[in-house]
Amino acid sequence: AGGAHGGGVSGEAAGNGSPSEREMARDILAVLRAWEPRTMVTTPEEERIVLRDLENRNRLLRSRQSMLRAGDKAAEGEPELAAIVAKLRGLSRAVNELLRHFWSSFPLSSSHRKEKVRRMNKALGAQYDRLEKARAAMDPSQRLLARPLIGQLLSACDAAFTKYDANLDKLGPAEAGGGEK
């Protein structure tokens, strides 16, 4: 009556003394539900730190996007301001891409990653200088519009430079001159 689909009589009820597939599955589920890991992969504090960091990054990203949209609206009908917003947008993309590559190189577990961090640090230094020059070239009203975006980009670069400087000992002798910034 049970057939090949397992919907019939249990193994014990059928008289062969062994449990049915359904009974074995119930037993396995009970064991799995009662199981507790013996070792934690991460501590609750580490998890809170990661979640806080992700929340901050997400907030910064939304803030940057909002500022760029506000800059676009403010620049409507003003070609000079539109050019500044376009330049800042390009610098922002470049810095974000370099930062993505920089941070993805940690931990410094191979010579390839170490070399990549050196290159990204040097490129970030050049972008930092470009941001500073762009800010210096603006008049006060333009600077006021650009300050939030430029400030965030410079802060993000500063965080990368701090991480780089903190890891100079791991980079080895190829970087005897120190960090770019």
Side-chain angles (χ1 to χ4, degrees):
H5 299 292
V9 182
S10 75
E12 290 178 22
N16 64 10
S18 57
S20 71
E21 288 180 14
R22 180 172 285 187
E23 291 166 333
M24 288 188 296
R26 252 189 251 130
D27 290 344
I28 291 171
L29 278 173
V31 169
L32 289 174
R33 286 184 180 132
W35 179 80
E36 292 184 23
R38 291 189 175 93
T39 22
M40 299 289 292
V41 176
T42 59
T43 66
E45 182 58 26
E46 290 171 326
E47 292 167 359
R48 279 191 289 279
I49 289 168
V50 167
L51 288 173
R52 201 174 316 122
D53 184 45
L54 288 172
E55 182 182 335
N56 287 338
R57 287 181 187 187
N58 192 24
R59 189 176 328 130
L60 285 173
L61 182 61
R62 283 194 316 261
S63 179
R64 280 186 199 155
Q65 290 169 342
S66 172
M67 283 182 257
L68 285 170
R69 279 193 299 272
D72 285 342
K73 285 186 179 185
E76 287 177 2
E78 295 188 43
E80 186 179 331
L81 197 52
I84 290 172
V85 169
K87 182 175 184 171
L88 289 176
R89 187 180 296 273
L91 287 169
S92 176
R93 282 189 203 118
V95 168
N96 286 335
E97 187 68 13
L98 290 169
L99 287 168
R100 187 179 68 80
H101 284 284
F102 178 87
W103 290 109
S104 71
S105 298
F106 288 91
L108 299 173
S109 56
S110 69
S111 59
H112 173 72
R113 284 178 174 229
K114 292 174 185 178
E115 183 54 36
K116 184 177 177 183
V117 163
R118 286 186 193 104
R119 286 192 322 268
M120 294 301 108
N121 186 67
K122 186 174 182 178
L124 279 169
Q127 290 297 328
Y128 191 97
D129 292 341
R130 285 188 187 117
L131 283 166
E132 288 286 6
K133 287 178 187 171
R135 180 169 59 178
M138 294 177 193
D139 67 39
S141 64
Q142 294 167 339
R143 214 174 288 134
L144 186 62
L145 175 70
R147 181 184 302 155
L149 177 64
I150 290 177
Q152 286 183 355
L153 291 171
L154 294 176
S155 293
C157 288
D158 287 337
F161 297 143
T162 300
K163 178 76 168 180
Y164 180 83
D165 291 342
N167 284 278
L168 280 175
D169 60 323
K170 295 176 186 167
L171 290 170
E175 191 60 32
E180 293 297 315
K181 285 277 167 196

